[in-house]
Amino acid sequence: MAAHLDTCLHFQTSSIRLVANATALFTIIHCECFHNMFGALCGAPATVNFLQLNIFTFWCCLGREVFDPTTFASQSRQIVGELAIFLLYSTLYL
């Protein structure tokens, strides 16, 4: 029961953050005042955060409920983990 509550709580916070990052990206793309270097500096981390939150929301939070448990012991686990680490390090260099 505690694991399910923990999953629901992480899903809710990740969903709120996904909406916030999607709103920021939408504003940067569609607002002319952000079509400059400041918009690029805001858009690059927002894009990386959006991709990272997709991994956390749909792989970590919902993965236990949706996927077969053997999926987490396969090659896809390593691919998703390396993608998450790549995105984490790319936020440091942007």
Side-chain angles (χ1 to χ4, degrees):
M1 182 68 180
H4 181 68
L5 180 64
D6 188 40
T7 301
C8 290
L9 189 62
H10 285 296
F11 179 71
Q12 288 174 349
T13 56
S14 294
S15 298
I16 292 169
R17 291 176 181 173
L18 270 173
V19 170
N21 275 307
T23 304
L25 288 173
F26 181 82
T27 303
I28 291 168
I29 291 170
H30 292 292
C31 186
E32 289 292 326
C33 62
F34 286 114
H35 290 182
N36 53 23
M37 194 53 149
F38 179 71
L41 287 173
C42 292
T47 303
V48 172
N49 287 337
F50 184 77
L51 294 173
Q52 274 186 326
L53 284 169
N54 276 318
I55 291 174
F56 293 146
T57 303
F58 297 110
W59 182 259
C60 298
C61 294
L62 295 179
R64 290 183 248 166
E65 308 292 330
V66 176
F67 298 118
D68 186 35
T70 59
T71 306
F72 296 107
S74 64
Q75 183 73 19
S76 59
R77 173 190 63 158
Q78 184 177 2
I79 293 170
V80 171
E82 288 182 6
L83 178 63
I85 290 173
F86 172 75
L87 291 171
L88 177 70
Y89 285 134
S90 66
T91 58
L92 297 174
Y93 294 115
L94 292 176

